[in-house]
């Protein structure tokens, strides 16, 4: 009789171990999916900006930060004045 009890305890321990291992694997997969989703949410891909080079100094600047001249776009009003006046 004690061998039957021992076998049942052994089966119960193995079942618990396997059940725990499966739920750990599920938790790890869910955690990885959540982390990937968070990374996508916090770091959206930056839209490409138009970058232009100043013909005077060669500095590359976003188009919105440049000063438009008659011949080209410049990094500053000072370089526009140097190039076109
Ligand atoms: Zn410049």
């Amino acid at each position: 009789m004690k061998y039957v009890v021992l076998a049942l305890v052994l089966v119960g321990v193995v079942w618990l171990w396997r059940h725990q291992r499966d739920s750990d694997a599920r938790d790890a997969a869910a955690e990885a999916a959540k982390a990937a989703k968070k990374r996508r949410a916090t770091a959206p891909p930056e839209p490409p900006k138009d970058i232009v080079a100043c013909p005077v100094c060669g500095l590359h600047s976003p188009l919105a930060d440049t000063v438009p001249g008659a011949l080209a776009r410049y990094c500053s009003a000072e370089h526009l004045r140097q190039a076109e006046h």
Side-chain angles (χ1 to χ4, degrees), residues 26-42:
R26 273 196 305 273
D27 288 351
E31 202 65 39
K34 198 190 290 180
K37 193 175 178 181
K38 192 175 179 183
R39 271 196 306 276
R40 283 194 299 271
T42 54

Side-chain angles (χ1 to χ4, degrees), residues 54 57 75 79:
C54 174
C57 66
C75 69
H79 284 176

Side-chain angles (χ1 to χ4, degrees), residues 18-30:
R18 291 185 62 166
H19 183 76
Q20 186 65 41
R21 196 181 58 177
D22 289 350
S23 70
D24 283 353
R26 273 196 305 273
D27 288 351

